[in-house]
Amino acid sequence: QVQLVESGGGLVQAGGSLRLSCAVSGLPFRTYVMHWFRQAPGKEREFVSAIRGSGSTTYYTPSVKGRFTISRDNTKNTADLQMDSLKPEDTAVYYCGCNTKGIMTDPRSQDYWGQGTQVTVSS
């Protein structure tokens, strides 16, 4: 049974930081490209960041580049998203997803999803 479980969300003031974590079980973790997406109320789910299986290649949507850092630990089967300099517009439910096809910004490309974790940034 494949499981992706996000944690680390919460309420933070603008300019603050949060670290999200996605714990994965039930699949060969290293073979999957890990992604983070987010969905704000009334909006579609959008791509945030992704990291290849080896961890050597990462990709960010322009609005978070320089503020967010994605990483993974293939010994613990986890993928993290360090979020710094948070802005109110970063407020959303954050989801981790994964696939074996590669870095994909379309949410329909993911094979598995977590349940999401709420991030709220106050101004």
Side-chain angles (χ1 to χ4, degrees):
Q1 180 183 358
V2 176
Q3 282 193 313
L4 282 70
V5 181
E6 300 98 333
S7 61
L11 173 64
V12 65
Q13 288 188 332
S17 298
L18 283 174
R19 187 176 184 91
L20 306 183
S21 187
C22 177
V24 180
S25 61
L27 53 75
F29 183 70
R30 190 181 176 88
T31 67
Y32 279 77
V33 181
M34 296 303 300
H35 296 69
W36 285 96
F37 287 76
R38 65 187 179 187
Q39 189 165 17
K43 295 188 176 181
E44 294 186 351
R45 193 169 297 190
E46 66 171 358
F47 171 82
V48 175
S49 183
I51 185 168
R52 292 193 184 277
S54 66
S56 61
T57 302
T58 59
Y59 187 70
Y60 300 90
T61 194
S63 63
V64 309
K65 197 168 185 180
R67 299 189 298 122
F68 292 10
T69 304
I70 192 170
S71 61
R72 64 189 294 157
D73 186 334
N74 288 341
T75 66
K76 297 180 179 178
N77 289 9
T78 57
D80 290 355
L81 186 68
Q82 176 67 39
M83 306 187 297
D84 298 318
S85 302
L86 283 161
K87 303 176 181 180
E89 51 262 44
D90 294 319
T91 295
V93 177
Y94 282 70
Y95 298 89
C96 65
C98 64
N99 70 56
T100 57
K101 296 179 284 293
I103 293 179
M104 301 283 182
T105 60
D106 187 338
R108 294 170 296 181
S109 66
Q110 303 305 302
D111 296 331
Y112 301 101
W113 289 103
Q115 83 288 349
T117 186
Q118 176 70 47
V119 171
T120 303
V121 184
S122 63
S123 58

